Amino acid sequence: MSSKPKMDDHLRERIISQPDVILEDQDVMHALIAANERAMGSNIVDLRGVAMDRLEARLDQLEDTHRSVIAAAYDNLAGTNQVHRAILRMLDPTEFEAFLHNLGGEVAQILRVASVRLILETVQDDADPAVQRLGDVLTVAEPGFIARYIENGRGGERQVTLRQLTGRESTLHAGAAAHIRSEACLRLDFGGGRLPGMLVLGAEDQHQFTPQQGTDLLTFFAGVFERAMRRWLS
């Protein structure tokens, strides 16, 4: 008589009738392979088992990559929808003052930023009552200010600059400066004969705007904003 325990007949018949159940169960297969290696002894190396382990590791890596690609695609789609909604809302007002107030209100909320500042370079005095009335969003500065602010002693002509802050590094954000941890600086070209401008988006999240991120969507947003501003400046 055999000293090995006999498998339950019902279980044996079920395995024979449905072998795929065993093959598709990862934990069961690991247990069977481990039992087979113990039965062979320590002096025998199962090359098939080694190959399976390597293939399984590569499969896990591919699955992780696949999940990362899918997550990035969803994030990109969400970001695209967010920018599109912000642009549509930005183009709604029919008056410049409403345009600016909307920029610092609903547009800022859609973009999930705590501060929106529009800087226009000009040779005129910023004591103009019209400028002071729109001071929550609009700021005027002397020629050359935008290049100094963005480049900060470094060269470069990028339209969109993303960077992280430690707080109170920028007086542009006024009372919100202490809470701003990252910002996006968008250079604005209003056409020949006009001084440049800049749109600054400030976020409380340190990771919302970082130098490693892509800038395609913000470049598109800046292009639309430039065209909207040209309409008001004309």
Side-chain angles (χ1 to χ4, degrees):
M1 294 181 61
S2 173
S3 60
K4 296 181 180 180
K6 183 180 179 181
M7 182 183 295
D8 180 76
D9 290 338
H10 177 71
L11 176 60
R12 183 172 181 274
E13 291 175 1
R14 185 176 180 184
I15 292 175
I16 292 174
S17 63
Q18 295 179 302
D20 291 344
V21 174
I22 299 295
L23 297 175
E24 294 174 359
D25 192 308
Q26 192 174 22
D27 294 334
V28 173
M29 289 301 299
H30 282 165
L32 292 175
I33 292 172
N36 182 60
E37 291 176 352
R38 289 195 300 270
M40 289 188 299
S42 59
N43 294 329
I44 299 176
V45 177
D46 185 2
L47 295 179
R48 290 179 303 175
V50 173
M52 287 180 62
D53 289 341
R54 291 181 178 177
L55 287 174
E56 187 176 285
R58 290 185 62 185
L59 178 61
D60 290 341
Q61 185 178 12
L62 287 174
E63 288 180 344
D64 290 341
T65 302
H66 179 70
R67 283 192 290 267
S68 298
V69 170
I70 294 297
Y74 275 115
D75 288 342
N76 186 60
L77 180 60
T80 301
N81 291 336
Q82 182 185 44
V83 169
H84 286 175
R85 287 190 293 112
I87 288 173
L88 291 175
R89 187 66 189 92
M90 179 180 68
L91 296 177
D92 280 343
T94 57
E95 296 180 357
F96 185 59
E97 185 172 349
F99 172 79
L100 289 183
H101 285 307
N102 180 56
L103 187 66
E106 292 188 44
V107 174
Q109 293 173 9
I110 294 173
L111 294 176
R112 295 186 296 108
V113 294
S115 173
V116 176
R117 304 294 291 181
L118 172 62
I119 294 84
L120 301 180
E121 289 189 358
T122 179
V123 294
Q124 298 178 357
D125 188 1
D126 62 359
D128 188 327
V131 173
Q132 293 180 349
R133 187 173 68 251
L134 302 173
D136 290 342
V137 174
L138 177 62
T139 299
V140 295
E142 73 280 4
F145 171 82
I146 292 172
R148 293 194 303 271
Y149 183 84
I150 294 179
E151 296 166 11
N152 194 23
R154 299 184 297 271
E157 291 293 333
R158 292 176 297 176
Q159 184 173 14
V160 177
T161 299
L162 308 180
R163 58 192 180 191
Q164 295 172 302
L165 307 175
T166 58
R168 296 192 180 280
E169 294 180 48
S170 172
T171 57
L172 288 180
H173 300 291
H179 306 289
I180 301 301
R181 292 294 179 268
S182 63
E183 68 178 7
C185 302
L186 285 60
R187 292 179 186 263
L188 304 173
D189 181 3
F190 299 130
R194 294 194 178 104
L195 291 172
M198 176 176 63
L199 188 66
V200 183
L201 309 177
E204 296 181 354
D205 183 356
Q206 184 181 11
H207 304 289
Q208 184 161 339
F209 301 118
T210 64
Q212 297 79 20
Q213 295 174 348
T215 59
D216 291 350
L217 289 174
L218 288 176
T219 299
F220 175 68
F221 183 85
V224 176
F225 189 86
E226 285 176 342
R227 287 157 177 78
M229 282 295 298
R230 288 171 190 167
R231 179 183 63 181
W232 301 115
L233 294 175
S234 63

